[in-house]
Amino acid sequence: MEPTPSASGERFVSHTPGYWPDATTAQWQDWKWQLKNRVTTLAALDKHLLLTSDERAGVILSGTKLALAVTPHYFNLIDRTDPACPIRRQVIPEIGEGYDSPYDLSDPCGEDSAMPVPGLVHRYPDRALFLVTDRCASYCRYCTRSRVVSGVGEQELHLDFDQAFAYLEKHTKIRDVLLSGGDALLLSDDKLEGLLGRLRAIRHIEFLRIGTRVPIFLPQRITPELCAMLRKYHPLWMSVHVNHPKELTIEVRDAFARLADAGIPLGNQSVLLAGVNDDLQTMKELVHKLLLCRVRPYYLYQCDLIRGSSHLRTPVSKGIEIIEGLRGFTTGYAIPQFVIDAPGGGGKVPINPSYVLYHDKEKVVVRNFEGKIFEYPESGIGPVLRHEEFLMH
Ligand SMILES: *Cc1c(COP(=O)(O)O)cnc(C)c1O
Ligand code: SF4
């Protein structure tokens, strides 16, 4: 399965047909066919990949934690023989998922305690996270909501749209609603339009967002019909989730282009993952490819302390090092904000390399990306005394 280079530059490739040589083009481009033909069993994995014993054990374990499911489109990015493949590590379970470190939590961001009604997380004063389904196109092994996502874990996601809308209507400070789950783009166009319409009918809600990994797992879902529907609900933004440059195939690039052409501003949220994207070169290639797709890198998340994810977590210093390696060395638009979602429910906290070396009432001493040192007067105009001295001369 040699990738096919694209006409517009070899940085984007298609891996079709890959492991599915018998699929017709019409089947391949049908998102329902993609969902129906997802890889969900050990037998199906064995058919395509040379599994390690650690992966085999992980698959058996996954049945009661977070389901195994990978769309054919995404599965085609997986290396057949290499267990260290960065795509493989994101979606194929392994035995490490059975180990809980002392820090691990089943609800690492304390979402359950910030839910005034089922499915609605209201942590920040002016915005709400609205969970509208527990299903995704494929399942990420490090998912922060694995307790409720996929339908096999420890909890069920209770949804009550009427209660959620009643809450949103009553709380007039909420001006921003983020649809997530699970993945909101797995809903039918009609169902999704029903939700967007109800949100738009609430006067104080001005800003709508959809958080989704569907354009990456299932680019076929981004149909012209879906885009035409979404654009009726502007201003509507989208947060997508790409972790590795290999995920940006021709099909994904084209799906992003359809969304961007529908006027939807696109931001990317990556999770920093060991053996996937925890090095500067990979991240640089990722953020550059994202800009080519008109996607602005938005957040880089330190991996949440979700149960069974310690084998995928990196030291916090790695994220700081990556940001430091980007700032000044590449386009400002390409640099995401590194954040820790504070365990237990503190929300997102920005984590930055330190560029301020000294700071008092008179001045701030800073370093630039090259390590050169500069001074800037605190007030921006210098001490008043200086000004008087100047007048006397
Ligand atoms: C991330 C998140 C948001 C949105 O945060 P922004 O910084 O505005 O992108 C809102 N609510 C919850 C609970 C979240 O976790
Ligand atoms: S797409 Fe999002 S919600 Fe779904 S499994 Fe991945 S991280 Fe979790």
Side-chain angles (χ1 to χ4, degrees):
M1 42 170 253
E2 275 306 294
T4 330
S6 79
S8 61
E10 63 298 336
R11 293 174 78 180
F12 294 89
V13 295
S14 170
H15 297 263
T16 311
Y19 299 109
W20 280 265
D22 299 330
T24 65
T25 306
Q27 284 174 328
W28 192 261
Q29 289 172 352
D30 175 3
W31 64 276
K32 295 199 168 138
W33 182 92
Q34 289 277 338
L35 285 180
K36 226 178 279 160
N37 287 276
R38 290 188 298 182
V39 172
T40 57
T41 62
L42 188 57
L45 278 181
D46 269 329
K47 202 173 131 199
H48 303 302
L49 308 181
L50 292 172
L51 291 181
T52 64
S53 54
D54 282 359
E55 287 174 323
R56 199 171 289 282
V59 173
I60 292 163
L61 221 150
S62 70
T64 53
K65 296 193 126 196
L66 174 71
L68 159 72
V70 189
T71 56
H73 167 84
Y74 196 76
F75 198 89
N76 270 348
L77 309 183
I78 297 177
D79 190 281
R80 201 179 109 73
T81 54
D82 181 11
C85 163
I87 305 302
R88 191 154 154 167
R89 285 178 67 76
Q90 293 184 62
V91 290
I92 305 301
E94 65 132 299
I95 189 67
E97 289 181 22
Y99 171 72
D100 290 338
S101 95
Y103 304 103
D104 289 8
L105 300 160
S106 64
D107 178 16
C109 302
E111 292 182 335
D112 289 342
S113 59
M115 270 190 209
V117 300
L120 200 69
V121 186
H122 190 190
R123 156 131 34 251
Y124 303 103
D126 73 337
R127 50 215 195 274
L129 171 66
F130 190 1
L131 307 179
V132 296
T133 170
D134 63 355
R135 296 307 145 101
C136 300
S138 304
Y139 294 106
C140 312
R141 306 320 303 172
Y142 51 86
C143 178
T144 193
R145 263 174 231 133
S146 53
R147 72 190 183 285
V148 287
V149 156
S150 92
V152 303
E154 52 194 275
Q155 264 172 258
E156 215 182 306
L157 181 67
H158 297 287
L159 298 175
D160 186 330
F161 289 166
D162 289 332
Q163 264 196 68
F165 280 107
Y167 183 91
L168 291 170
E169 275 157 17
K170 196 166 142 230
H171 290 80
T172 52
K173 287 208 175 73
I174 298 175
R175 43 161 285 286
D176 169 0
V177 174
L178 164 53
L179 294 183
S180 184
D183 203 311
L185 290 190
L186 279 195
L187 301 181
S188 68
D189 289 7
D190 286 348
K191 190 139 193 212
L192 188 57
E193 179 156 26
L195 292 175
L196 292 172
R198 280 180 85 173
L199 290 170
R200 272 282 165 251
I202 302 174
R203 282 209 5 235
H204 52 271
I205 297 174
E206 48 187 37
F207 187 72
L208 295 179
R209 289 191 261 186
I210 298 176
T212 175
R213 213 178 179 198
V214 152
I216 293 89
F217 284 145
L218 189 62
Q220 296 83 359
R221 172 71 185 95
I222 312 302
T223 59
E225 295 75 28
L226 174 70
C227 296
M229 183 276 280
L230 293 176
R231 71 182 308 158
K232 291 193 271 175
Y233 298 92
H234 274 317
L236 174 73
W237 293 46
M238 210 174 262
S239 295
V240 301
H241 173 177
V242 188
N243 290 327
H244 191 277
K246 201 175 172 187
E247 294 170 36
L248 294 170
T249 62
I250 289 176
E251 294 85 351
V252 171
R253 180 198 62 189
D254 293 350
F256 286 150
R258 290 192 288 279
L259 291 166
D261 286 346
I264 301 170
L266 301 170
N268 185 58
Q269 316 197 97
S270 291
V271 181
L272 191 56
L273 296 166
V276 174
N277 56 11
D278 59 340
D279 69 279
L280 179 58
Q281 262 333 96
T282 304
M283 265 302 168
K284 213 179 221 182
E285 194 188 335
L286 172 64
V287 295
H288 288 166
K289 279 183 87 171
L290 284 167
L291 290 191
L292 299 184
C293 297
R294 287 184 277 171
V295 180
R296 162 84 153 101
Y298 179 41
Y299 283 136
L300 173 63
Y301 288 94
Q302 174 67 16
C303 186
D304 288 330
L305 297 170
I306 185 73
R307 287 175 65 187
S309 71
S310 54
H311 61 293
L312 287 169
R313 299 203 291 260
T314 54
V316 174
S317 55
K318 180 51 80 175
I320 297 175
E321 179 192 313
I322 288 172
I323 299 302
E324 208 163 356
L326 295 174
R327 176 61 64 195
F329 295 97
T330 194
T331 316
Y333 275 125
I335 305 170
Q337 173 65 59
F338 181 43
V339 290
I340 293 180
D341 214 324
K348 298 174 184 76
V349 179
I351 307 296
N352 296 307
S354 167
Y355 292 99
V356 177
L357 303 177
Y358 178 82
H359 192 183
D360 67 13
K361 276 193 284 205
E362 266 154 34
K363 64 173 186 244
V364 55
V365 181
V366 297
R367 69 170 172 99
N368 78 348
F369 71 106
E370 298 161 302
K372 290 187 186 142
I373 296 176
F374 303 86
E375 227 183 88
Y376 190 92
E378 173 53 282
S379 65
I381 53 171
V384 178
L385 192 67
R386 279 264 181 80
H387 182 62
E388 285 163 356
E389 275 170 3
F390 173 78
L391 289 179
M392 275 159 61
H393 283 103

